[in-house]
Amino acid sequence: MTDETTDVLIVGGSMVGLAQALFLAEQGIRPILVERHSEVSAHPRAQVANRRTMEIMRALGLEEAIRARETPHAQYGEILQVDSLVGSELGWFEGLFRNDPDDVAVTGSTLIGQDRLEPILLERARELGAEIRFSTELVSHEQDAEGVTAVLRNLKDGSQHAVRAQYVVAADGSRAQIRKELGIGAHGQGVFGRQMSVIFRANLDPYVAGRKFFLCFVNNPAIKGVLGRAGSSESHRWVLAPSLMPEESHEEYSTDECVALVRAAVGVPDLAVEVESSTSWEIAASVADRFRSGRVLLAGDCAHVMPPTGGFGGNMGVQDAHNLAWKLALVLRGQAGPELLESYETERVPIAEFTVEQGIIRYLQRNGLDQDRASHHQPETTVLFGHLYRSNAVLAEPGPDSLAPVEDPALPSGRPGTRAPHLMLCPEGQVVALHDLMRGGFWLLAGPDGGAWKRAADIVRIDTGLPLSFHLVGSAESSKTVEKFTTQYGIGASGAALIRPDGFIAWRTAILPDDAVEVLTSVFDRLLSRTHD
């Protein structure tokens, strides 16, 4: 017997779990999310919403809210290196996360801690109908051919009840309870070290002395760590992230010892300090051997863990959730076969392995340890936008394939499996970025001589009920935009490209076939593992 049912149960209510709830709710799926903590994190942890994450959030109308909540002094971007805040300056360097719009993307990243981002995701997910339950933990789960039965415990009163879900998304972090219970191992370099986070209040203005920085790296015999604001200048709220040994935990540090660390970082032995809280986490690098076990799918740190350098980890998890949401929605609505979900693991595992390696390279370089891997360093733009998927949700083209997981997004090929190159289009007479249109449906873009594709798209949409929109590039765009479209997407004037709900190219054709309706119907049947009785 079960007490309630849901399409999707999400386990874990941090940045990734909340993003998964939001993306599913945007698709009309009303998930239940459970999180054992009583509220969202008070600690910044992930410090940046990168350009790809902001591109996704922008399409959902959240860019303005996120930028309004960015971390104090984020607009400066610079990073200061010192032996202590009042001691010698060891240097300044420009932060990596102040990227302006360019030919690759219409928006840039923003510096925002999870403590500021998660409430935005939480509020919007709830507005769209997601059920978010804090102080609730997963006790057990058992799956069969038809679904998953999960037992949940309310940590406030100890009561338990059962939930029947069609699918479970495990976003329960690097501790990976569900992954371990499923017997899914992980591969990679393992643990490098441990990081602690101490939230405290102290008036550091006299020691900042007017310097404008986003983060301050501190290195002296008593502490090696990072100092940054956790609130407005008036609140005097800061966060200190000291490096620990792998075997250490924040629980071993008393309040007095945390105060001592803060004083060592500032360089003032008698500084008045009020410690609010502390936590810690592993700095590690690993990727789960599988991202799926039946009806349970892994996302975020449950699926991959990487060093914080580069700011890739939490953002990768958000993009896992984005990749998965539209696929789950189509399967749950009966518009795609369950085989579509196979593409989640097939697509995301190689990208996770690639991105973890890039995080390791950056971590070693920052610590002066990198020797052999320097030649494998890829630009941030490639790490974020260069993904190349190969799966049953992409109609691959014949010809040689290097099997590289990425390509240079500044030189896009337009081949199926790549992120659709950035375009400024004019649907309905208004200029809009292509990726601003990625709100949960497919888009068929045709060249200026491909007007017949509109009838095909209309018929397929009516016959299948799929969310499919059409735009003839050239109906309102300049000749320069048309040339960019046909060149970067690798199609002719009568050709077309089909863009998935996550902004990746699913299929393209250089010409208009004799029967566009038949071709487009066949494309969707193959992409979505659709069968006809």
Side-chain angles (χ1 to χ4, degrees), residues 138-311:
L138 176 72
V139 176
S140 65
H141 73 281
E142 183 176 349
Q143 63 173 305
D144 52 48
E146 304 300 323
V148 183
T149 300
V151 177
L152 307 179
R153 177 186 293 122
N154 184 318
L155 295 177
K156 291 182 178 179
D157 60 21
S159 63
Q160 296 187 12
H161 74 284
V163 174
R164 182 69 172 172
Q166 292 294 305
Y167 293 94
V168 170
V169 177
D172 54 340
S174 57
R175 296 182 181 181
Q177 171 195 347
I178 297 176
R179 193 191 80 204
K180 293 173 183 175
E181 290 176 356
L182 291 170
I184 299 175
H187 56 279
Q189 288 200 214
V191 178
F192 291 89
R194 197 165 184 86
Q195 194 92 32
M196 182 162 69
S197 177
V198 181
I199 301 288
F200 68 94
R201 291 182 186 271
N203 183 6
L204 303 188
D205 290 348
Y207 316 114
V208 172
R211 291 173 292 185
K212 297 178 178 181
F213 55 82
F214 166 60
L215 293 175
C216 178
F217 282 76
V218 179
N219 191 353
N220 62 53
I223 182 173
K224 180 179 181 180
V226 185
L227 184 68
R229 289 190 185 271
S232 65
S233 298
E234 294 75 21
S235 71
H236 300 308
R237 195 165 179 262
W238 291 77
V239 58
L240 176 66
S243 299
L244 305 180
M245 297 300 292
E247 65 276 6
E248 288 186 291
S249 169
H250 68 284
E251 296 171 349
E252 300 173 21
Y253 284 76
S254 67
T255 299
D256 288 345
E257 288 172 319
C258 289
V259 168
L261 288 173
V262 172
R263 289 172 172 169
V266 179
V268 178
D270 59 350
L271 180 70
V273 179
E274 177 189 348
V275 173
E276 289 188 5
S277 63
S278 65
T279 188
S280 63
W281 63 92
E282 287 182 341
I283 298 176
S286 66
V287 178
D289 296 335
R290 291 179 289 138
F291 282 17
R292 183 187 182 194
S293 177
R295 290 177 174 266
V296 180
L297 302 115
L298 315 184
D301 284 357
C302 180
H304 43 70
V305 179
M306 59 197 76
T309 40

Side-chain angles (χ1 to χ4, degrees), residues 444 446 449-454 456 492-496 507 509-517 519:
L444 183 67
D449 298 336
W453 284 110
K454 183 181 186 306
S494 66
W507 165 81
T509 178
I511 60 171
L512 178 69
D514 293 336
D515 191 337
V517 173
V519 168

